[in-house]
Amino acid sequence: MYFIGLDIGTTGCKSVVFDEAGASFGKCYEEFDIICRRPGWAEQSPAIVLDAVKRVMKESIRQTKEKGALSEEFSALSISVLGEEIMPVDKEMRPLRDAILGMDYRASEQTQRLIGKVSAPEAYDITGFVPHPMASLPTIMWMRDHEPELIPKTYKYVTFSEYIMKCLGAEAGYIDYPQAGRTMAFDIEKKCWSEKMLRGAGIDKSMFCYLAQTGSIVGHMSKEMAAELGVTDRVALVAGGQDQTCAALGAGLTQEGIGMDSHGTIEGIGLLSHRKVTDETALKGGVSCYAYTIPDQYFLMSSCQVGGLLLKWFKNNFSHVEIEKARQSGRDVYDVMTDCAPKGPSDVMVLPHFIGSGPPWNDLDSRGAIVGLTIDSTRHDIVKAIMDSLTYEFKINMQFYESMGFRLREMRVVGGASKSPLWMQLKANILNREVASLREKDAACLGAAMIAMWSRGVYASLEEAAAACVRLDRVFSPDSAVVDAYGRAYEKYTHLYDALKEFNRIKI
């Protein structure tokens, strides 16, 4: 049997087909753009996303069938989706506007209004979501305030999870527990929509879709979609998870003590917790706590709002020479960009708060900065400074979790950075511990596929699925020759935010 893991991210989507042992047989990726209608706004066209999803699925299925698979051997599909995006739909599940993404902070006023009704500590204890304008609930409030003409047309507010699954053939709109945990409207302990949060926002719970535990079968592929993709309508559609929780499962996080460095468009640190963590320390540190893909477990996450996105910004604005070299040589442009990067710590430092800061500061007024420039500084120094500084930021969050009592004996890296030996070695050097890449680089797709396998009874539990399917690829150990130098640079970096904090609050 074959299982499809579909991952919908911020800047693209990927479909990978796996067998029961976690070996991939077909995969396809397609990028799409973020729509920025105003500074600070970030939206996405659901029609463009749906078309891309169908294309990548069709291609990954075609590749698998080329290797001998039959249409009837495709058993189930599960989905991994970026968090916080939200949009209104009508009764036919047709979008009434583009989705507003989590990196869009336009709902600041609505967030403050909401916590005026439900205090920040209480909202956090219920939802595990530190009150923030990225959350779906205040964003819905913004839409109702500023686009009232959509209210009478709106049947539900949905994320891409419900929308895509319904388009594929699900019987109704279903949202899985991990994805619901990113709305700031879900009670993570009771596993239901929170009446208190919805009352504070002035929104009825009927405006949200049905809830489904990860692994629940929510329908089957429609005849029309099955014919278009080249499978049968017996393919089960299985409730999956938010992308970070699926990636963590695909990285083998089935117990406490293993940490995940998720380094894609954004970078975050994630870990499994046996208990809900919503105390004052976690709130102050900006820790997200929500349902994990493994039932009755929690997932803790802290994210820097930029990761690979910051290198992409630099590439688009300052790396035209490297873009041309990559085009001529056929190499990856990011490999070309790092060819001339300094081997040790860069003399330049970057504060990567280009979309405000994430944990542990959670300062929306913080701004990005490049400091330490001299007349001798080059663009290569800045590229390396971006890489260094993102990893310093990650280390700050890792040490915060350890101060809360979590002992992270092992760190596994997923996302684009895991494919780069340079990045992986840099992480080992700065974190001063072993970091591992995975055999299957598309961990979110593997995690989703493992959920599909579990739903079909291939494995008795997700822990059993992970033991069978997840394999480490390469372990990178710290280089003792540079660890001390990076340690000194890190100590200097820890003062950078405080040095610029008041400057960033000066209004022009």
Side-chain angles (χ1 to χ4, degrees):
M1 289 191 293
Y2 296 94
F3 301 87
I4 302 168
L6 176 63
D7 178 42
I8 302 172
T10 308
T11 55
C13 61
K14 177 169 284 187
S15 173
V16 184
V17 180
F18 298 91
D19 68 6
E20 297 101 319
S24 61
F25 283 76
K27 61 176 61 180
C28 184
Y29 173 76
E30 185 172 320
E31 287 191 346
F32 34 69
D33 292 327
I34 296 170
I35 302 166
C36 301
R37 304 185 194 280
R38 293 187 188 178
W41 287 22
E43 301 180 0
Q44 222 150 47
S45 163
I48 288 174
V49 172
L50 176 61
D51 286 345
V53 162
K54 291 193 288 187
R55 283 192 292 269
V56 297
M57 287 178 60
K58 186 173 183 177
E59 175 59 18
S60 65
I61 290 167
R62 185 197 66 78
Q63 291 174 16
T64 306
K65 292 171 78 172
E66 268 194 351
K67 296 174 183 176
L70 303 175
S71 295
E72 55 268 26
E73 291 182 294
F74 290 84
S75 178
L77 170 151
S78 192
I79 191 168
S80 158
V81 180
L82 71 155
E84 297 98 39
E85 83 290 349
I86 199 76
M87 62 185 175
V89 295
D90 65 15
K91 288 186 177 181
E92 304 302 319
M93 202 64 87
R94 293 176 300 208
L96 299 173
R97 71 171 330 278
D98 288 339
I100 299 178
L101 302 181
M103 62 175 60
D104 186 311
Y105 296 172
R106 72 182 73 179
S108 295
E109 177 190 333
Q110 288 73 23
T111 306
Q112 292 305 311
R113 200 163 78 224
L114 181 57
I115 61 175
K117 300 287 183 67
V118 185
S119 71
E122 188 174 10
Y124 182 55
D125 188 56
I126 294 169
T127 69
F129 200 112
V130 178
H132 194 286
M134 69 163 31
S136 309
L137 191 57
T139 303
I140 292 171
M141 294 170 65
W142 183 94
M143 286 190 275
R144 293 171 71 87
D145 288 345
H146 294 272
E147 298 170 345
E149 70 279 5
L150 297 181
I151 294 174
K153 304 175 187 176
T154 300
Y155 173 60
K156 301 282 186 186
Y157 293 100
V158 304
T159 74
F160 285 145
S161 291
E162 306 98 293
Y163 172 65
I164 295 297
M165 292 295 258
K166 186 70 171 66
C167 290
L168 293 177
E171 296 165 5
Y174 286 91
I175 182 169
D176 55 81
Y177 292 169
Q179 183 74 341
R182 303 308 299 162
T183 62
M184 201 177 154
F186 180 69
D187 188 315
I188 57 171
E189 192 166 12
K190 296 178 181 176
K191 305 295 188 294
C192 64
W193 295 118
S194 168
E195 295 279 3
K196 187 156 198 172
M197 295 303 300
L198 293 174
R199 190 164 52 247
I203 298 168
D204 192 270
K205 71 177 181 180
S206 65
M207 301 305 294
F208 288 85
C209 286
Y210 298 113
L211 291 159
Q213 180 171 287
T214 294
S216 303
I217 295 176
V218 298
H220 290 78
M221 192 86 73
S222 69
K223 283 182 166 51
E224 297 76 16
M225 190 62 70
E228 182 176 349
L229 299 179
V231 294
T232 74
D233 59 3
R234 293 194 298 275
V235 174
L237 302 175
V238 182
Q242 183 251 5
D243 56 359
Q244 300 293 351
T245 62
C246 286
L249 181 63
L253 270 66
T254 59
Q255 56 185 300
E256 291 184 346
I258 304 174
M260 177 185 72
D261 177 353
S262 176
H263 194 139
T265 304
I266 66 172
E267 183 172 19
I269 179 171
L271 56 149
L272 177 153
S273 173
H274 297 319
R275 68 191 192 281
K276 185 177 86 166
V277 180
T278 54
D279 56 23
E280 184 179 352
T281 300
L283 172 60
K284 186 176 180 181
V287 175
S288 290
C289 175
Y290 51 111
Y292 190 34
T293 43
I294 297 176
D296 302 320
Q297 301 296 321
Y298 291 93
F299 186 68
L300 307 182
M301 187 79 190
S302 300
S303 298
C304 174
Q305 291 306 304
V306 293
L309 185 64
L310 191 51
L311 271 183
K312 184 177 182 180
W313 167 82
F314 191 85
K315 177 201 74 175
N316 291 344
N317 288 281
F318 305 106
S319 298
H320 304 299
V321 172
E322 285 76 16
I323 290 171
E324 181 59 23
K325 283 183 179 179
R327 188 190 66 79
Q328 292 179 1
S329 65
R331 296 177 63 205
D332 183 274
V333 64
Y334 296 106
D335 290 338
V336 176
M337 286 170 61
T338 56
D339 276 347
C340 299
K343 302 306 178 187
S346 177
D347 293 329
V348 178
M349 282 190 173
V350 172
L351 188 66
H353 297 174
F354 282 50
I355 313 179
S357 84
W361 301 294
N362 298 303
D363 182 355
L364 300 185
D365 291 324
S366 190
R367 292 293 178 264
I370 303 173
V371 302
L373 294 168
T374 71
I375 201 67
D376 298 315
S377 298
T378 70
R379 65 183 184 278
H380 309 299
D381 296 313
I382 300 174
V383 166
K384 184 57 164 47
I386 290 172
M387 298 172 71
D388 289 353
S389 299
L390 286 171
T391 312
Y392 297 147
E393 195 91 354
F394 183 89
K395 184 172 182 176
I396 288 171
N397 280 280
M398 182 188 75
Q399 291 182 329
F400 178 79
Y401 279 108
E402 293 186 330
S403 73
M404 293 171 63
F406 291 94
R407 296 290 171 255
L408 301 177
R409 63 181 182 274
E410 187 179 341
M411 191 64 66
R412 297 180 181 179
V413 184
V414 303
S418 68
K419 302 173 186 177
S420 166
L422 177 64
W423 259 114
M424 294 295 291
Q425 187 60 57
L426 176 66
K427 289 176 184 292
N429 293 340
I430 292 177
L431 301 180
N432 194 20
R433 69 187 61 202
E434 291 184 341
V435 299
S437 59
L438 298 156
R439 182 187 65 183
E440 177 51 63
K441 305 303 181 189
D442 299 308
C445 289
L446 177 58
M450 285 160 47
I451 293 167
M453 295 175 202
W454 175 48
S455 77
R456 285 304 213 185
V458 176
Y459 296 104
S461 66
L462 287 174
E463 290 90 339
E464 185 180 306
C469 298
V470 179
R471 294 287 180 271
L472 299 186
D473 180 25
R474 183 176 170 188
V475 177
F476 293 79
S477 300
D479 181 351
S480 58
V482 295
V483 163
D484 287 346
Y486 277 113
R488 292 190 295 273
Y490 170 71
E491 177 58 33
K492 183 177 180 181
Y493 178 83
T494 60
H495 299 283
L496 187 55
Y497 166 73
D498 284 331
L500 293 173
K501 179 169 60 176
E502 294 308 318
F503 173 81
N504 284 326
R505 283 171 168 69
I506 299 173
K507 304 300 182 184
I508 298 176

